[in-house]
Amino acid sequence: MAKSQTEQLLKELDQLRARGLVTDEEYAARRQAIISGQVQLPAQKSGGGFFKKVGIGCGALVGIFIVIMIIAAAAGGGSEDGSNGSGGSSSSSKSADVRVTLAEGAVGEIAPEGNDARKSRVTIVRIMDPVVSSNQFSQPKAGMRWIGFEVIHENVGTREISSLTWKLRDTNDNEHDQDVVGPVVDMPDLDPFYADLTPGGKKQGWIYFQVPEGVGVKWLRADPNTFMKGDLYFEAP
């Protein structure tokens, strides 16, 4: 690992410790892993791909990676793990996926591995299909269209949480990631990389997916932590 990346990882780790997202034991273990070179960053594709397109540099990539790595460990460790909010242990059902019917007004709650301290509540406010861009230079690919969902993400736990990872499966069973360079419309996008949603706080905005013409939606998934079990599925009726 290059020296500059090591220094950046250590800086991000120090910041997370200062914000109370990791325990002293987790901090020490991850600091040693960084120094010894056990933390491996994913190879960067030629040309920078999406991150170059939206102006996210190497330093920001390092930051995003270490935030995901540490939050994953923090969510699964410490005295808050397994708590059901009343001092008892969580049941195995709390680690299972949550499934809600996909519709405007639908609400679902999910916590990674049943950790109620980091519980999210998601509301589907509006669904728009198709979404038409007002900019001729920002259009879907030939044979494709955009589907949009206005959502509210609320922190209903007691600890700080980060952004959700979204995925859509169409009726042909093809899966699509959130299109963060979506249509140009007079509607606020939901920032895909926020990491500072404090207890009681919420984020609201639109998420977009580019899917083929003629297919429908099978489900929309909100994943609070890609390293943990327990996702929220909004399933088409």
Side-chain angles (χ1 to χ4, degrees), residues 19 21 71 155 160-163 191 193-199 201 203:
R19 294 164 62 187
L21 292 178
I71 289 177
N155 183 347
E160 188 171 281
I161 60 177
S162 59
S163 57
D191 179 4
F193 298 123
Y194 57 89
D196 56 353
L197 194 55
T198 55
K203 295 280 188 178

Side-chain angles (χ1 to χ4, degrees), residues 105-164:
V107 180
E109 293 186 353
I110 194 69
E113 294 285 7
N115 184 356
D116 284 347
R118 301 185 187 276
K119 181 180 286 187
S120 292
R121 176 183 296 145
V122 181
T123 303
I124 305 295
V125 181
R126 285 189 291 169
I127 302 173
M128 185 174 294
D129 181 14
V131 179
V132 179
S133 175
S134 61
N135 187 325
Q136 62 176 325
F137 299 107
S138 179
Q139 298 293 329
K141 297 177 182 178
M144 306 287 282
R145 75 186 194 278
W146 276 306
I147 300 178
F149 302 87
E150 185 181 13
V151 300
I152 299 174
H153 179 202
E154 299 177 79
N155 183 347
V156 293
T158 58
R159 297 294 300 272
E160 188 171 281
I161 60 177
S162 59
S163 57
L164 298 167

Side-chain angles (χ1 to χ4, degrees), residues 152-212:
I152 299 174
H153 179 202
E154 299 177 79
N155 183 347
V156 293
T158 58
R159 297 294 300 272
E160 188 171 281
I161 60 177
S162 59
S163 57
L164 298 167
T165 300
W166 296 90
K167 188 178 289 289
L168 180 146
R169 176 178 285 189
D170 64 33
T171 48
N172 287 338
D173 289 325
N174 293 313
E175 297 187 0
H176 309 272
D177 294 323
Q178 178 184 355
D179 193 344
V180 294
V181 186
V184 176
V185 292
D186 188 21
M187 299 181 294
D189 293 356
L190 182 68
D191 179 4
F193 298 123
Y194 57 89
D196 56 353
L197 194 55
T198 55
K202 64 182 180 180
K203 295 280 188 178
Q204 181 170 354
W206 285 81
I207 57 174
Y208 304 101
F209 298 87
Q210 192 169 167
V211 303

Side-chain angles (χ1 to χ4, degrees), residues 23-163:
T23 65
D24 291 341
E25 292 79 7
E26 291 166 344
Y27 172 83
R30 278 151 186 78
R31 190 175 190 278
Q32 180 59 38
I34 293 170
I35 293 174
S36 63
Q38 296 177 15
V39 176
Q40 299 294 326
L41 291 178
Q44 187 173 6
K45 293 183 178 180
S46 175
F50 156 71
F51 295 102
K52 181 177 180 181
K53 183 175 181 181
V54 297
I56 299 178
C58 180
L61 283 172
V62 172
I64 292 169
F65 178 77
I66 193 66
V67 167
I68 293 174
M69 180 187 72
I70 298 300
I71 289 177
S79 61
E80 66 180 3
D81 273 15
S83 172
N84 62 7
S86 58
S89 297
S90 64
S91 66
S92 59
S93 63
K94 283 199 171 187
S95 296
D97 296 333
V98 174
R99 299 182 183 276
V100 180
T101 300
L102 178 61
E104 293 184 349
V107 180
E109 293 186 353
I110 194 69
E113 294 285 7
N115 184 356
D116 284 347
R118 301 185 187 276
K119 181 180 286 187
S120 292
R121 176 183 296 145
V122 181
T123 303
I124 305 295
V125 181
R126 285 189 291 169
I127 302 173
M128 185 174 294
D129 181 14
V131 179
V132 179
S133 175
S134 61
N135 187 325
Q136 62 176 325
F137 299 107
S138 179
Q139 298 293 329
K141 297 177 182 178
M144 306 287 282
R145 75 186 194 278
W146 276 306
I147 300 178
F149 302 87
E150 185 181 13
V151 300
I152 299 174
H153 179 202
E154 299 177 79
N155 183 347
V156 293
T158 58
R159 297 294 300 272
E160 188 171 281
I161 60 177
S162 59
S163 57

